[in-house]
Amino acid sequence: MSNNNPQPVLELRNVSVGYESARGVVQAVRNISLTIYPNEIVGLIGESGSGKSTLANAIMHLLRNSAFLLGGEVIVQGQNVYDLNSKELKKFRWNRMSMVFQSAMNALNPVLTIEQQIADVFKAHRPQMSKHEIHDKAVSLMELVSIHPKHLRSYPHELSGGMRQRVVIAIAIALEPDLVIMDEPTTALDVVVQKSILDKIKELQKAKGFAVLFISHDFSLVAELAERVAIMYAGRLVEVTGSKELNLETRHHPYTEGLLRAIPELTAESVTIEGIPGNPPDLINLPSGCAYHPRCKYAMESCKTVPPVEKDVEGRLIACHLYTEEAVK
Ligand code: SF4
């Protein structure tokens, strides 16, 4: 982690995103602030529907249909992404920040070969490159993600799921961006392939030095890959912690604790898994006070009325009334 670096790669300042719906505005992302530094891998974790993908789309300025930025700033390499006009944004995206989407099959065009799809990126962003240079670049990108260059002639359906996902990663890093957002990049893959993709991401990140925001609902996956982990609940960050501290010996936000208790310990003699009771809240009609209070075993009276603010708890940021100045002492 390079926290002394004066220029973060990504700065989210009080970012809020809403969706128009027939029942009212869905508060998908609420007041999120997060900073990512060069060479850093930060995990973003939360149950499905917690707002993770909406936040990723907001960072990329890819909010669609009824979704809109309610407030806040998205700063990538010192540039407010929402100050760019559409032409500037087109240039900025993929050059400075890129995204690996959940489904590689949907991200790739089924009627174009892999080489055509890689070439399209260079034709759009590096028009001065010759055909020969683009081909050489495509070959080296395939080698970088450990796929034989003969597959440049393949169509997406001719590759395995793991290979397709590696192609998508190759395309995302083709222009050597400073920030790569990976939204559940291994969800559809089996455990062995997941592991090989994670190893590849780590290897590429070390070699190329880009920062990664790795989004997942899988706690163990994120903990293995990321140095810091941000935990999201009902559109809000409830904790930001070092992944090494992700254990039950360390004090956490009750939701983080619940997620940790829900992971089976494979080495334990007897496996006790505790799920989190209840369901994630309705984002149109959020519970008052702390949105987690209906599910929280530590909830106090104040939790029902007063929203908690983030506090620094031994280097971790936690938004919970348990960690008031007095409670920490
Ligand atoms: S603020 Fe209260 S309800 Fe919310 S997580 Fe903390 S103890 Fe639980």
Side-chain angles (χ1 to χ4, degrees):
M1 191 162 51
S2 313
N3 285 11
N4 293 330
N5 193 302
Q7 167 117 318
V9 174
L10 173 69
E11 268 183 285
L12 301 177
R13 297 183 189 153
N14 304 313
V15 172
S16 295
V17 180
Y19 285 96
E20 295 283 4
S21 84
R23 288 172 54 225
V25 174
V26 180
Q27 301 169 61
V29 171
R30 299 185 293 137
N31 217 23
I32 285 197
S33 294
L34 181 70
T35 303
I36 301 182
Y37 294 90
N39 297 309
E40 198 181 16
I41 302 183
V42 173
L44 180 64
I45 189 127
E47 290 163 296
S48 68
S50 60
K52 307 182 300 293
S53 296
T54 304
L55 180 62
N57 286 326
I59 296 169
M60 291 294 289
H61 204 328
L62 282 172
L63 292 171
R64 290 281 176 269
N65 305 324
S66 56
F68 56 96
L69 192 74
L70 279 167
E73 292 175 309
V74 177
I75 316 281
V76 175
Q77 290 289 39
Q79 172 66 55
N80 187 332
V81 173
Y82 285 76
D83 282 348
L84 298 168
N85 63 34
S86 56
K87 202 173 158 202
E88 291 165 336
L89 185 63
K90 212 173 157 196
K91 213 170 151 194
F92 194 82
R93 234 189 253 137
W94 310 116
N95 266 306
R96 309 305 296 272
M97 59 178 184
S98 68
M99 184 156 162
V100 176
F101 293 92
Q102 280 185 21
S103 164
M105 208 48 197
N106 294 345
L108 294 171
N109 188 330
V111 297
L112 296 180
T113 64
I114 300 304
E115 176 148 19
Q116 284 171 308
Q117 306 199 43
I118 295 176
D120 280 350
V121 177
F122 291 107
K123 282 181 196 160
H125 292 273
R126 302 280 190 274
Q128 74 285 3
M129 282 175 77
S130 68
K131 266 189 183 167
H132 188 72
E133 285 170 328
I134 291 176
H135 175 75
D136 287 351
K137 198 76 187 155
V139 168
S140 62
L141 276 170
M142 291 291 267
E143 284 168 348
L144 202 59
V145 293
S146 307
I147 301 178
H148 195 287
K150 72 178 182 192
H151 289 296
L152 282 170
R153 292 190 296 274
S154 303
Y155 289 88
H157 73 270
E158 294 172 317
L159 304 181
S160 69
M163 286 164 91
R164 283 197 293 265
Q165 197 54 278
R166 275 182 281 149
V167 167
V168 172
I169 292 170
I171 291 173
I173 62 170
L175 302 176
E176 311 211 345
D178 308 298
L179 172 70
V180 182
I181 299 172
M182 301 195 174
D183 187 7
E184 308 260 10
T186 60
T187 299
L189 307 170
D190 68 52
V191 178
V192 177
V193 181
Q194 266 189 6
K195 171 92 177 78
S196 78
I197 298 272
L198 285 195
D199 290 345
K200 184 50 73 183
I201 292 169
K202 270 192 214 166
E203 185 191 316
L204 292 172
Q205 190 269 341
K206 273 209 178 76
K208 298 285 177 188
F210 50 83
V212 177
L213 178 64
F214 186 89
I215 299 171
S216 179
H217 64 277
D218 186 331
F219 217 144
S220 32
L221 213 64
V222 169
E224 190 189 323
L225 187 75
E227 293 136 44
R228 279 193 302 143
V229 178
I231 295 116
M232 201 164 172
Y233 183 77
R236 191 181 167 186
L237 286 189
V238 294
E239 179 166 354
V240 181
T241 180
S243 57
K244 287 197 180 79
E245 282 96 57
L246 277 174
N247 53 62
L248 287 167
E249 284 79 57
T250 308
R251 296 181 311 156
H252 290 289
H253 187 281
Y255 178 58
T256 312
E257 185 190 318
L259 291 174
L260 285 168
R261 289 196 188 282
I263 303 172
E265 265 193 63
L266 295 177
T267 49
E269 279 176 23
S270 64
V271 178
T272 318
I273 306 171
E274 281 175 43
I276 300 174
N279 294 307
D282 177 356
L283 296 177
I284 296 178
N285 198 6
L286 283 165
S288 57
C290 171
Y292 189 57
H293 87 253
R295 303 174 77 184
C296 180
K297 62 181 177 185
Y298 304 108
M300 306 165 273
E301 268 316 297
S302 59
C303 302
K304 295 178 188 164
T305 51
V306 185
V309 292
E310 292 92 0
K311 286 201 184 300
D312 188 323
V313 182
E314 296 151 8
R316 299 182 299 287
L317 274 185
I318 301 181
C320 170
H321 290 313
L322 289 176
Y323 298 95
T324 59
E325 297 295 326
E326 293 71 30
V328 171
K329 283 172 198 162

